[in-house]
C-alpha cells in the first residue's frame, strides 16, 4: 500500500535525512515539510496526508513542536493521519503512546526501523479492513470485483472476475503472482492456471495489501509463495514452480520488507 507523508521537524538537516530514508521506500510519497507547529498544522489541513513524521523535542523551542499538535488535529479532522515520532530522546516514548502514535523512531534513523514501521502500517490496514465490494465496468471487458473481510472473520479475500454475466471467483490465497500485460494483468495460481483480468497491475497494487508486494514494474508477488530470494541475481523463486521472478532496484525496499516479515515468524537461520 502507498502512503503520502509530511515531515514536521525544526531541524532542516534532519528533514532531509528523514526524506532521504523515506524516499528509498516505494510505498512512501513525499508531500511537503514544515519546521514549526503552525506551518505543520497548515500543511496537514491543506494536504491531509496519510502519514506524518513528527519531531516532538525540537532544538528550537520557538517552533513549538510537540505532541499537542495531535490534539489540535482532532479539532479539524475526522480521520487523524498516522503519526510516527522521530526524535533523539527515549524518555518521551511513554507520553507518545498515550497519544496513540503509530510508531516511535529514535534518531539517528535506521533503515530497519522504517521497514518495521511500514510493516506495522500494512498490518494495521489489513486488520482494520471492513467488507468492501468494488466492481468496475469498462467497454464490456471482464472486470474485477474485490471483497475484503476483517481479519476477525477468518474469511479469505475473494477476487471476482466478471465477464458477460460470468462470475469467476479466486481465493487470494491461491494466487502466486500477478504479471502485467499491457493494460491487463495475468493472475497465476498455485495449480498452474493463469487467468487474465482487464485491469492494470497498478490497479491491483492499490487494492491488495501484504502478502501481495510489488517487486518490479511487471510483477506483484504473494510473499507466501516465495521459496528463495537471490539478492545477487535480483530474482525470487516461487514454491513448487520453476518460475523465477525478477525484482528491480527501485523496489528493493519491498524485498527487504518480505525478508523482514519472513524472519519475524517461526524462523531459524542456519
Amino acid at each position: 500500500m502507498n502512503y503520502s507523508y509530511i515531515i514536521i521537524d525544526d531541524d532542516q538537516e534532519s528533514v532531509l535525512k528523514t526524506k532521504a530514508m523515506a524516499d528509498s521506500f516505494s510505498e512512501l510519497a513525499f508531500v511537503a515539510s514544515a519546521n514549526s507547529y503552525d506551518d505543520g498544522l497548515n500543511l496537514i489541513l491543506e494536504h491531509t496526508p496519510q502519514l506524518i513524521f513528527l519531531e516532538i523535542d525540537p532544538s528550537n523551542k520557538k517552533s513549538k513542536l510537540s505532541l499537542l499538535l495531535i490534539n489540535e488535529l482532532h479539532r479539524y479532522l475526522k480521520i487523524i493521519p498516522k503519526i510516527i515520532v522521530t526524535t533523539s530522546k527515549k524518555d518521551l516514548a511513554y507520553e507518545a503512546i498515550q497519544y496513540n502514535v503509530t510508531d516511535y523512531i529514535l534518531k539517528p534513523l535506521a533503515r530497519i526501523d522504517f521497514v518495521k514501521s511500514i510493516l506495522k502500517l500494512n498490518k494495521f490496514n489489513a486488520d482494520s479492513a471492513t467488507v468492501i465490494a468494488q466492481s468496475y465496468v469498462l467497454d464490456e471487458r471482464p472486470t474485477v470485483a474485490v471483497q475484503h473481510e476483517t481479519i476477525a472473520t477468518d474469511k479469505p479475500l475473494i477476487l471476482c472476475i466478471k465477464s458477460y454475466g460470468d462470475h469467476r471467483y479466486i481465493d487470494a490465497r491461491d494466487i502466486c503472482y500477478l504479471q502485467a500485460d499491457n493494460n491487463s494483468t495475468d493472475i497465476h495460481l498455485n495449480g498452474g492456471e493463469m487467468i487474465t483480468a482487464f485491469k492494470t497491475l497498478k490497479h491491483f497494487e492499490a487494492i491488495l495489501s501484504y502478502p501481495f508486494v510489488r517487486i518490479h514494474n511487471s510483477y506483484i508477488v504473494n510473499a507466501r509463495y516465495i521459496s528463495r530470494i537471490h539478492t545477487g541475481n535480483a530474482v525470487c523463486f516461487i514454491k513448487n514452480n520453476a518460475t523465477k521472478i525478477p525484482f528491480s532496484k527501485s523496489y528493493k525496499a519491498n524485498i527487504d520488507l518480505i525478508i523482514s516479515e519472513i524472519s519475524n515468524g517461526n524462523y531459524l537461520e542456519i
Side-chain angles (χ1 to χ4, degrees):
M1 300 191 71
N2 297 323
Y3 307 93
S4 59
Y5 74 92
I6 282 176
I7 302 171
I8 305 177
D9 194 321
D10 67 309
D11 185 341
Q12 187 59 29
E13 183 179 352
S14 182
V15 169
L16 295 175
K17 288 180 179 178
T18 301
K19 184 179 183 299
M21 183 72 73
D23 283 348
S24 66
F25 294 86
S26 61
E27 296 92 339
L28 303 180
F30 177 71
V31 175
S33 65
N35 302 120
S36 69
Y37 178 105
D38 291 334
D39 290 345
L41 177 61
N42 291 340
L43 281 179
I44 294 168
L45 299 182
E46 179 181 356
H47 298 285
T48 58
Q50 295 160 298
L51 179 63
I52 300 169
F53 292 100
L54 175 64
E55 171 63 78
I56 59 174
D57 183 44
S59 55
N60 181 5
K61 300 305 178 183
K62 291 183 179 180
S63 69
K64 300 180 182 179
L65 294 181
S66 73
L67 289 164
L68 294 178
L69 177 64
I70 300 174
N71 283 347
E72 190 70 6
L73 293 178
H74 283 280
R75 293 182 56 196
Y76 302 101
L77 302 176
K78 290 184 178 180
I79 300 177
I80 305 302
K82 300 301 177 189
I83 309 290
I84 295 180
V85 170
T86 56
T87 190
S88 58
K89 286 190 175 181
K90 294 181 180 180
D91 55 5
L92 297 173
Y94 179 78
E95 184 181 359
I97 291 172
Q98 308 310 305
Y99 282 81
N100 200 30
V101 301
T102 299
D103 213 344
Y104 193 96
I105 300 180
L106 290 176
K107 297 176 180 178
L109 305 178
R111 181 177 178 79
I112 188 60
D113 290 328
F114 270 69
V115 170
K116 291 177 180 178
S117 290
I118 292 173
L119 287 173
K120 288 179 183 179
L121 287 168
N122 290 340
K123 185 176 186 301
F124 175 86
N125 285 330
D127 288 348
S128 62
T130 54
V131 178
I132 302 173
Q134 298 182 13
S135 59
Y136 303 84
V137 179
L138 181 62
D139 300 332
E140 296 186 340
R141 295 182 297 178
T143 62
V144 179
V146 181
Q147 176 180 325
H148 291 279
E149 298 283 353
T150 59
I151 298 301
T153 65
D154 291 327
K155 291 183 179 180
L157 170 65
I158 302 298
L159 275 67
C160 176
I161 299 184
K162 300 163 60 178
S163 176
Y164 305 105
D166 180 24
H167 294 63
R168 174 64 186 272
Y169 299 104
I170 303 173
D171 188 329
R173 295 173 299 184
D174 295 333
I175 299 174
C176 294
Y177 64 96
L178 301 92
Q179 181 176 5
D181 184 7
N182 294 319
N183 290 324
S184 63
T185 299
D186 294 333
I187 303 172
H188 295 263
L189 306 182
N190 60 5
E193 185 179 7
M194 187 271 285
I195 301 168
T196 297
F198 287 91
K199 289 292 177 182
T200 64
L201 196 67
K202 185 176 181 62
H203 170 80
F204 283 99
E205 182 184 16
I207 64 174
L208 295 175
S209 58
Y210 195 89
F212 292 95
V213 183
R214 183 85 174 256
I215 63 169
H216 189 278
N217 284 340
S218 298
Y219 292 97
I220 292 174
V221 297
N222 182 343
R224 305 289 187 243
Y225 283 94
I226 291 180
S227 62
R228 178 183 175 191
I229 297 175
H230 197 301
T231 56
N233 293 334
V235 293
C236 295
F237 294 76
I238 301 299
K239 291 179 181 177
N240 305 317
N241 196 309
T243 302
K244 293 188 291 185
I245 298 178
F247 62 85
S248 55
K249 290 182 179 179
S250 58
Y251 289 98
K252 178 60 167 59
N254 291 353
I255 292 295
D256 292 340
L257 286 173
I258 294 172
I259 293 173
S260 176
E261 180 68 9
I262 292 173
S263 65
N264 283 334
N266 190 9
Y267 176 80
L268 177 64
E269 189 169 300
I270 301 173

